[in-house]
């Protein structure tokens, strides 16, 4: 997975400086995804990136700031990808299916492990936790916003969910289930994988039913 921006050179920054930073970010991402936070070595990252290790301190200051910028680089791209998909055309069942494909891609690319590694490291590192939590909450807020839009769309088409099923409750279920599934997948808990897929399929079927009902209401049926 490359963390390079598709926008090219950042305004006001020399191309060589940007290139050095991106090489370091890419090398750090790969090391985090393959070996984890505890084994992360600044000297090894420098070797992988083909730069002097002093440049890592120069550009990022600390190891924790480096890993946060790695997460930021990935988050910007993936949150934009997710937001664009949800804002696009199509029913929520199709978007749920697309989100599942995104997850499989993020699992194989190493992003899911990178995020999990920083989460785990945050338990015993207060400074890292302070930086990490807003990044994690950004994903939860994305889910909350999308669920809110979906519930509002259903209500406007005449479909009303029972009172306990608020957007906040549904978003909490989705976020916490997904995070639990990520840890189980990273740990290789094979017996739970089939259960998780069955749960995802069940939501898929529910959304297909709700999409069809909403479409029927829109057609006056």
């Amino acid at each position: 997975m490359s963390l390079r921006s598709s926008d090219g050179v950042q305004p006001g920054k020399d191309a060589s400086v940007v290139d050095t930073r991106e090489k370091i970010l890419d090398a750090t991402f790969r090391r985090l995804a393959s070996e984890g936070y505890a084994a992360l070595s600044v000297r090894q990252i420098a070797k992988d990136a083909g730069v002097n290790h002093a440049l890592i301190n120069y550009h990022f200051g600390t190891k924790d700031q480096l890993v946060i910028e790695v997460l930021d680089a990935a988050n910007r791209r993936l949150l934009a990808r997710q937001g664009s998909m949800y804002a696009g055309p199509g029913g929520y069942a199709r978007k749920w299916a697309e989100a599942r494909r995104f997850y499989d891609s993020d699992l194989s690319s190493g992003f899911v492990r990178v995020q999990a590694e920083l989460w785990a490291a945050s338990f015993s590192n207060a400074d890292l936790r302070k930086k990490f939590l807003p990044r994690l909450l950004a994903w939860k807020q994305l889910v909350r916003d999308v669920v809110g839009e979906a519930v509002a769309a259903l209500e406007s088409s005449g479909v009303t969910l029972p009172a306990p099923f608020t957007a906040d409750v549904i978003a909490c279920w989705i976020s916490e289930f997904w995070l639990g599934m990520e840890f189980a997948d990273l740990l290789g808990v094979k017996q739970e994988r089939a259960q998780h897929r069955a749960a995802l399929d069940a939501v898929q079927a529910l959304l297909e039913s709700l999409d069809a009902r909403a479409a029927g209401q829109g057609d006056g049926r």
Side-chain angles (χ1 to χ4, degrees), residues 10-24:
Q10 299 174 26
K13 288 192 176 182
D14 182 84
S16 63
V17 172
V18 173
D19 187 58
T20 297
R21 285 178 58 87
E22 289 180 340
K23 286 180 179 177
I24 294 169

Side-chain angles (χ1 to χ4, degrees), residues 37 64 115-130 132-133 136 183:
Y37 176 87
D64 286 348
Q115 183 170 258
E117 285 286 344
L118 299 191
W119 189 346
S122 293
F123 287 125
S124 57
N125 184 331
D127 290 337
L128 180 61
R129 181 165 64 249
K130 188 182 299 185
F132 172 73
L133 281 178
L136 175 65
F183 277 103

